[in-house]
Amino acid sequence: MLIKKLAHGRVSRTKDGDVQLWLKVGTDENINISQAIAEEAQAAAEAIQQYQLRK
């Protein structure tokens, strides 16, 4: 179940109830990869927090 779509991936809940963060950043995107991962992980953490508050 999708919790939030991200620019380079998604955070979702799996069939067994786990939370999964999936990111894929291409090396040809001409961006700071570590910064992109950090920012999207933060966005995912906030989305998970909001998801848990709704439950």
Side-chain angles (χ1 to χ4, degrees), residues 1-37:
M1 178 182 128
L2 180 65
I3 295 174
K4 181 173 179 91
K5 176 79 172 93
L6 304 166
H8 293 96
R10 62 183 51 226
V11 61
S12 57
R13 188 130 190 213
T14 64
K15 288 181 182 179
D16 57 2
D18 293 338
V19 174
Q20 179 180 30
L21 172 61
W22 183 88
L23 296 172
K24 180 179 179 181
V25 182
T27 56
D28 61 340
E29 291 186 52
N30 200 25
I31 61 172
N32 183 320
I33 295 172
S34 62
Q35 182 180 356
I37 289 172

